[in-house]
Every structure is written in C-alpha cells, then in structure tokens.
Amino acid sequence: MITTVTTAPIAGQKPGTSGLRKKTPVFMARHYLENFVQSIFDVVGAAGKTFVLGGDGRYFNDRAAQVILRMAAANGAARMIVGQGAILSTPAASHLIRLNKTDGGIIMSASHNPGGPDEDFGVKFNMPNGGPAPEGVTEAMFKRTTEITEYKMMEAQDVDLSAIGRHQLGPMIVDVVDPVTDYAALMETLFDFPAIRAMFAGGFRMRMDSMCAVTGPYAVEILENRLGAAKGTCVNATPLPDFGGMHPDPNPTWAKALMDEMFGANAPDFGAASDGDGDRNMVVGRGIYVSPSDSLAVLAANAQLAPGYAKGLAGVARSMPTSAAADRVADALGIGKFETPTGWKFFGNLLDAGKATLCGEESFGTGSDHVREKDGLWAILLWLNVLAVRKQSVAEILTEHWAKYGRNYYSRHDFEAIATDKADAMITALRGSLASLPGKVVEGMTIAAADDFAYTDPVDGSVSQKQGVRILFGDGSRIVLRLSGTGTEGATLRLYLERYAAGPDGLGLDAQEALAPVIRAAHDLAQITAFTGRTEPDVVT
Ligand code: G16
C-alpha cells in the first residue's frame, strides 16, 4: 500500500556543518521529517538501492526510523541494513556502509547536542564511501526541500527492530544487525589488542565516560569484554533518549565529572569521553588534559606503533581552525599535510584519494581512513595502543612531544546563543576590516596577514568560500573566528586562539595564561563585547 502524500515546502531545511539539525518538536511537526527524507531520496535515488539506517538513540530516534523505513520502501529501496533498536554510532554506520558496499546511509543524530523532547534531533545522509554528503549534494537536497510537493509513504506496521535478522517491509528487505559486532571486529584489525590487554592486566586503570549516549555498548564490549579493563571502567554506558539530561559533548566543560576525577586524588591512568553519536572524543591523562589539536599531532607521530598504521601515514589533514601542531609532525615525517574547512565531509576526498591517512579537528574529532567519519572510540583505542607500547604516562608522552616539536598553545572560546543579527553584524564588520589589518600592532604583536579562508579541494577542484576569518601574527600566533554550523539556537561564535612556543623554555604554561595576549587581541579586533554584549565565553576548550 503506497500512498502519495501532498505536502508543501517547509522553510529552513538547509543542512549545516553536518546534516539537518533542529529542535526535536520542529522535526516532529507535520511533514517535516518526511519532506527532508523525500528530498534525500529524490536527489540520490532510492529505487533498487541499499542503505544503512541507524542513529544515536536520542528521543524520536525509534519513531523516525520507522518513518524512514516506510518511505524507503515506498520509494522502491531494495534493502535497508538497520542497527538493532535503530541504534548505530556514526562511525559504525560509516563502517557498515563501506563493509556492505551500500548506496549510502541515513544517520539520525544531532551529535553532541542534547537530546529529548525539547532538545535537538537531526538527520544526515552519508555517501557510498561512508562519508557525509559533500556540499554539492546537501545543497541539492536543500533545493529539493524548497520545491517539494509530495512524498511517498508505505502503509504498514512497524518493523520489529529489536529482533536481529531479516524482516520484510513490502518487497523491501530489512536486515537488523547487531550495532557493535562489525565495528568491534574492525577495531581488532587496527590495534594491538594483546598489548592493550596486557596493559590492563598489569593494573592500568581507565575511566571511559560515554555520557549516556551511543558509545556505551561499544565501549563495554571492546574495553571491558575484549580488552579486560576492570568492570566499571565504562560509566554512563547505557544510552538514554535524553542522555540522562547530560550534554553529551566531550569537552572539559560538559565532561566535568571526568575532568574532576582525572585531576583528583587517586586518578586513573587514562580518561576518555565520547559524544552523542560516538564520533567525538576527549582524552585526559592523570592530571593533564590533551587538547584535540595536540591529540591529532601525538597520534600522527605515534600511529606506526599500531598494526593498522605500521606502514606509515600517507598524510595528515586538519581543519583550518585546528592548531598547526600536526603540520609539524607531518613536516618531520616528510608526509603530506592538508588544511580543510570545518566539517568532516571535507576530508572525504583526501581519504578516498589516499592523500591523507589521519584527520583531525579541534572540535574533538579524530579519525583515519578506516571509515569516513571521525571516530571517538578509534581515537581512544589508538591512544591505548600508544600507551601500551611506549609504557609511559600521557603526561610524559605530551612533554616529550612538545620538547621535540615545540608547543602550539591552543584554546577555543564559544559564545553561545547570541542573537543571530548581532553575530552576523560582528562578522560582517570584521570581514570589512580585514584589508586594513596587516601591519597593525596589537598587544605587542604585528599582524602579518588577515583573510577569510577559502578552500579549493585538491581532488575535485570544488571551491568553498568564507570558511572563517583568520588573523595571523608575525610571531606565529593566530586568531580565527567563525559562526558554528551545528547549533539550533541563535548563533554560536567560535573564537579559536593559537600561539606557538618553540621551547625549550615556556612549554609548561597553562594554555589560557599563555594565550592571554592573543585573547585580548581577539576581543579588541573583533569588538566581541560591543557587538554581542558578551565578555566571557560559555565554553572554553
Ligand atoms: C560536526 C562536524 C565537524 C565540525 C563540528 C563543529 O561535528 O562533523 O566536522 O568540526 O561539527 O562544527 P561547527 O563549528 O560548525 O559547530 P559533529 O560531532 O557535531 O557531527
């Protein structure tokens, strides 16, 4: 029974940095999900195709999955591979798309944004390579949402997604799979599980905080069951529709309980957290926080210690706002280095073309060519592999890294839920001032260059403009400002701050202290308080 439902365009269905994210009630409103999903199918085609479907388990995930399945069937899809309970972490979904050579996948997640009836929901489409749809494709989907007049829906009962195995929805096959098994098997091919197991057996203690989000079952299976970490290593390991009221964003502000434990008495050797859909990670040593930019650099310098990367790396890619720490490693290794706009989708071509093996972002994203998404548990396992082989603490590894490469002090300050017009006015004024900035001296530092970052993809030649304002100083310090593309409320201003210290002195400062002049210069140049009324950031990472 396939019905064609008459609908009309709904404004604002434009995917942001990573898919379409809105308040849950917006997504649950009449025709909203359906219009967007039909627009996806209209652009990529569904007839005879196979897609993966899963999400991070947030509120509305289960209902949305049934709607998407009925629409896929109505649009003629041949087969859907669905995580049990409609659950899949984003990296696991990416892996399933690749493993099964499917035509792509639909991921239901608003990532690190809170979940619940009044919080956030999201939908994104990933391509057959397992990666987020590139801008050209998301633009076409958006355009389709502005023209849509009808969508197709199959009239049917719910598919029992709790039951692993083959189901049928009309002529469409629905294969419900365990969300963890294939992903865990992939991890076993990349990392030295016996070495990590021996480290745990020797008394190594870890805390893994899944923030009541999707990685819980993955972490318990891999860390506790397969690697022998003590029972209870994984906390907040049961995914909940509202993430237990937590904000599942693994950073020092939102993963405060983990930070307190890692900086307290009797701290474990290693701490880690992941986000709503399992693609982000934060790692913390005993008494030392690892910034995501440093994490990428350390992993790039040590990846060869893991079996999956023993042959070395082809190159390292980072997003523009991410610090240049990884570039120094790439230079030392004599491998390629790439600087892309914010958004994991920009790494896809570099990974597919074999130009980059490791990628990372300041926004707690690290990953490699094993999938086409960033991967929280993968990064945590690579750290564990490095720790198991080097038999040093996180603090020792970081200290040695800085002594060798110098230290890129780094921080991001977020100013959240600013009125959009005020944030836009600030960025417009800043853009207008860029040409006059070179040569100007602020806080004793001379501005060497200022621009709005534009990127030409080295593989397909596509150009992305206006990806963030950069102010570069003669001493290597840097300020970057851009507005977030993942928020659902007003505008979030992201202010990225960087300062390089070559050493050997001055490598052990507190990052905020080391960056103080750069922070003052940023406020001065962008007039943040004058435009937004804000003096202090809401989140400091
Ligand atoms: C997404 C993207 C990342 C990006 C991050 C922050 O992550 O996949 O590439 O760095 O958002 O983007 P923005 O600064 O525009 O908010 P996630 O984990 O939310 O999917």
Side-chain angles (χ1 to χ4, degrees):
M1 293 302 110
I2 294 170
T3 50
T4 299
V5 181
T6 301
T7 187
I10 300 172
Q13 294 199 313
K14 188 176 171 65
T17 308
S18 187
L20 181 65
R21 294 181 189 173
K22 295 288 173 196
K23 288 287 167 206
T24 309
V26 174
F27 249 107
M28 293 178 75
R30 190 167 156 78
H31 298 324
Y32 197 92
L33 172 68
E34 292 84 346
N35 276 15
F36 189 64
V37 171
Q38 187 64 51
S39 299
I40 292 175
F41 289 142
D42 286 349
V43 169
V44 302
K49 294 197 169 174
T50 298
F51 299 106
V52 166
L53 173 66
D56 61 16
R58 68 181 60 223
Y59 186 83
F60 190 48
N61 186 96
D62 51 351
R63 297 307 315 147
Q66 299 290 348
V67 170
I68 295 169
L69 286 175
R70 284 201 293 270
M71 291 186 68
N75 279 277
R79 181 178 170 223
M80 298 291 282
I81 301 171
V82 191
Q84 186 183 25
I87 301 278
L88 284 176
S89 77
T90 292
S94 181
H95 177 50
L96 283 179
I97 292 170
R98 297 166 63 77
L99 182 69
N100 295 286
K101 298 188 170 41
T102 68
D103 299 291
I106 294 178
I107 300 177
M108 300 168 291
S109 170
S111 192
H112 55 287
N113 297 4
D118 298 315
E119 298 294 352
D120 292 358
F121 191 77
V123 170
K124 73 170 176 172
F125 183 77
N126 279 32
M127 306 296 281
N129 74 346
E135 270 184 340
V137 176
T138 55
E139 271 304 311
M141 290 169 181
F142 171 56
K143 182 162 179 288
R144 188 70 197 137
T145 67
T146 65
E147 303 158 344
I148 193 165
T149 55
E150 57 184 41
Y151 60 81
K152 292 196 174 69
M153 182 68 75
M154 178 172 279
E155 306 257 330
Q157 297 298 323
D158 285 359
V159 179
D160 181 6
L161 297 180
S162 68
I164 288 176
R166 180 153 286 191
H167 305 252
Q168 207 76 36
L169 188 58
M172 186 179 81
I173 291 167
V174 180
D175 282 323
V176 177
V177 299
D178 180 81
V180 179
T181 308
D182 288 322
Y183 177 83
L186 174 65
M187 294 300 114
E188 295 224 28
T189 67
L190 298 174
F191 301 117
D192 190 343
F193 271 44
I196 303 173
R197 204 176 292 127
M199 179 171 72
F200 278 121
F204 182 90
R205 290 189 302 127
M206 175 181 178
R207 174 71 65 235
M208 169 71 209
D209 191 339
S210 293
M211 305 190 85
C212 299
V214 79
T215 49
Y218 296 84
V220 169
E221 172 60 20
I222 295 172
L223 297 174
E224 295 187 8
N225 297 350
R226 298 195 187 195
L227 290 170
K231 295 287 170 214
T233 293
C234 301
V235 294
N236 296 320
T238 304
L240 299 171
D242 66 350
F243 304 128
M246 294 178 93
H247 186 154
D249 195 356
N251 63 41
T253 301
W254 295 115
K256 187 170 180 308
L258 176 69
M259 292 296 285
D260 288 348
E261 186 174 2
M262 295 307 298
F263 281 79
N266 197 28
D269 299 286
F270 186 58
S274 56
D275 73 330
D277 62 334
D279 56 2
R280 295 186 177 204
N281 76 93
M282 176 177 78
V283 294
V284 201
R286 181 186 290 138
I288 189 162
Y289 162 68
V290 185
S291 82
S293 294
D294 276 345
S295 180
L296 174 65
V298 169
L299 293 181
N302 292 280
Q304 273 182 280
L305 302 178
Y309 307 93
K311 291 200 192 99
L313 309 176
V316 182
R318 64 171 172 89
S319 66
M320 179 275 282
T322 304
S323 93
D327 297 13
R328 297 177 192 282
V329 176
D331 288 343
L333 293 174
I335 58 175
K337 57 180 180 188
F338 301 90
E339 187 179 21
T340 61
T342 294
W344 203 263
K345 58 194 174 204
F346 291 102
F347 294 133
N349 279 347
L350 297 171
L351 293 166
D352 286 350
K355 288 178 177 290
T357 311
L358 250 55
C359 305
E361 293 187 282
E362 52 64 40
S363 56
F364 298 84
T366 341
S368 86
D369 59 0
H370 68 292
V371 290
R372 291 295 180 274
E373 289 278 4
K374 54 192 188 281
D375 188 344
L377 262 179
W378 169 91
I380 292 161
L381 289 166
L382 182 49
W383 263 99
L384 284 171
N385 198 142
V386 171
L387 291 167
V389 174
R390 289 187 53 169
K391 303 188 193 318
Q392 289 174 296
S393 69
V394 173
E396 286 164 343
I397 288 175
L398 268 182
T399 307
E400 279 187 19
H401 187 93
W402 293 332
K404 180 168 178 187
Y405 298 97
R407 179 170 178 187
N408 289 72
Y409 283 102
Y410 188 84
S411 183
R412 189 183 87 197
H413 290 191
D414 289 344
F415 302 80
E416 296 178 340
I418 301 172
T420 307
D421 55 343
K422 291 183 179 171
D424 287 344
M426 195 202 82
I427 294 287
T428 304
L430 189 59
R431 283 197 175 116
S433 73
L434 289 178
S436 68
L437 292 183
K440 191 171 174 177
V441 180
V442 201
E443 292 287 327
M445 304 177 297
T446 307
I447 299 176
D451 67 4
D452 203 342
F453 182 61
Y455 177 66
T456 304
D457 186 299
V459 178
D460 66 15
S462 60
V463 178
S464 302
Q465 307 274 7
K466 298 193 171 182
Q467 297 294 322
V469 170
R470 302 192 288 186
I471 302 170
L472 312 166
F473 295 90
D475 67 353
S477 300
R478 188 179 74 145
I479 295 166
V480 175
L481 293 104
R482 57 181 282 281
L483 300 181
S484 159
T486 56
T488 57
E489 215 177 321
T492 293
L493 168 66
R494 300 210 194 281
L495 168 62
Y496 311 85
L497 307 141
E498 181 173 358
R499 200 190 120 197
Y500 180 63
D505 299 324
L507 296 176
L509 299 178
D510 170 74
Q512 301 306 317
E513 212 177 288
L515 290 164
V518 188
I519 297 169
R520 287 194 299 270
H523 279 264
D524 181 7
L525 290 165
Q527 290 293 301
I528 295 172
T529 306
F531 277 101
T532 69
R534 303 292 178 85
T535 52
E536 298 295 326
D538 299 288
V539 174
V540 173
T541 64

